[in-house]
Amino acid sequence: MNPPDTLSETWVDSHAHLFMVEEASETVLARAVEAGVEWVLCPGVDVESSMQSREISRRLPDRVLWSAGLHPHSASEWPSVAGRIADLAQHADAIGECGLDWYRNLAPRDDQLNAFGDQLQLAVDLGKPIIIHCRDAFRDVYEMLERFDLGERAVLHCWTGGSKWTKRFRDLGVTFSFAGPLTYRGDETLRLAARHAPRDRTMVETDSPYLTPEPLRGESNEPANVAITGATLADVWGLDIDEVAKLTSQTASRVFGSPRG
Ligand SMILES: [Zn+2]
């Protein structure tokens, strides 16, 4: 897609693992800004990457927010890193990425439930938003969120649920974030579900370096591509693309704060 000469509205990429992108974050962010991206949230997935995310945010304070958390794939480490994640979280803009993954099941279920529950509690204690990975675990994530009652501070990143779960989570008051799969040709179910996402509680993200949107699939993903997913969302919602940029950016700033205060 060709960005217009004068950008009227800008985007927020609510989820980009800048520490995994090969190029320097400065270079990647410069391209993003050129593509109309105002800022990016860089989520950690373990202690080391949470510290790297903090470091990138320090270097690019007006473009990058960061979070500290432990990904469900590494949930078995939780007992040994919980203290360090909690320390980092004190100064982070959000908790996560954490959650449940019953698709790849790289950590035992009990370990995932334990790590996720503790990180939800951390979000409650610190009054911060939490970024949630939910893969084939809709019922369990739903039940946990019902208990912790975080409202829009619970962010369902890379949302892939169908219409039924989209409506149920919407009614729970959470925030949705859509990534590249929204653009995939075979994913009509997800686009139908996205119609039920609330206009004022939805963000867009790249999940860089993964999940590159169509038609760039196969390349490494980067924040500059977030507007492609935004354009698909505009199509699904029947809204102007500028309106979707504005709505999703407002939601990101309300939930996470913004680097410019
Ligand atoms: Zn992620």
Side-chain angles (χ1 to χ4, degrees), residues 18-215:
L18 295 170
F19 50 86
M20 290 186 199
V21 178
E22 232 169 87
E23 278 176 281
S25 298
E26 282 77 358
T27 313
V28 173
L29 263 296
R31 269 202 303 272
V33 169
E34 211 158 297
V37 178
E38 180 77 26
W39 58 270
V40 169
L41 189 137
C42 179
V45 293
D46 56 17
V47 170
E48 200 197 331
S49 60
S50 296
M51 290 169 68
Q52 288 173 318
S53 301
R54 180 180 65 182
E55 176 54 31
I56 293 169
S57 174
R58 280 182 180 161
R59 282 189 349 242
L60 295 157
D62 55 346
R63 295 289 177 201
V64 181
L65 297 185
W66 67 287
S67 71
L70 188 68
H71 196 280
H73 292 345
S74 314
S76 301
E77 289 172 26
W78 181 249
S80 59
V81 302
R84 295 187 67 197
I85 295 284
D87 285 346
L88 286 162
Q90 300 277 345
H91 307 284
D93 300 295
I95 316 302
E97 139 176 25
C98 57
L100 302 176
D101 193 316
W102 297 163
Y103 177 74
R104 296 191 67 192
N105 275 309
L106 293 185
R109 289 191 176 210
D110 282 348
D111 291 357
Q112 293 194 39
L113 288 163
N114 179 43
F116 184 37
D118 282 1
Q119 290 176 90
L120 283 165
Q121 187 59 52
L122 190 58
V124 170
D125 293 345
L126 298 175
K128 293 189 179 184
I130 182 162
I131 299 158
I132 299 164
H133 171 111
C134 172
R135 189 104 195 258
D136 285 3
F138 301 109
R139 182 172 305 282
D140 293 284
V141 168
Y142 184 88
E143 282 170 8
M144 305 263 300
L145 289 183
E146 219 176 10
R147 266 197 279 142
F148 285 90
D149 193 26
L150 282 148
E152 69 173 12
R153 282 190 286 129
V155 177
L156 296 169
H157 118 79
C158 187
W159 179 247
T160 54
S163 292
K164 180 187 93 174
W165 282 111
T166 304
K167 288 190 223 170
R168 291 198 69 187
F169 277 100
R170 174 196 67 196
D171 294 345
L172 201 56
V174 307
T175 300
F176 296 90
S177 183
F178 288 99
L182 192 68
T183 69
Y184 294 173
R185 285 187 193 100
D187 226 337
E188 199 54 44
T189 312
L190 181 58
R191 282 186 288 277
L192 288 172
R195 293 189 306 183
H196 302 291
R199 307 298 183 259
D200 60 344
R201 273 187 283 117
T202 297
M203 316 177 186
V204 284
E205 63 172 70
T206 56
D207 202 12
S208 296
Y210 309 113
L211 300 176
T212 309
E214 299 277 10

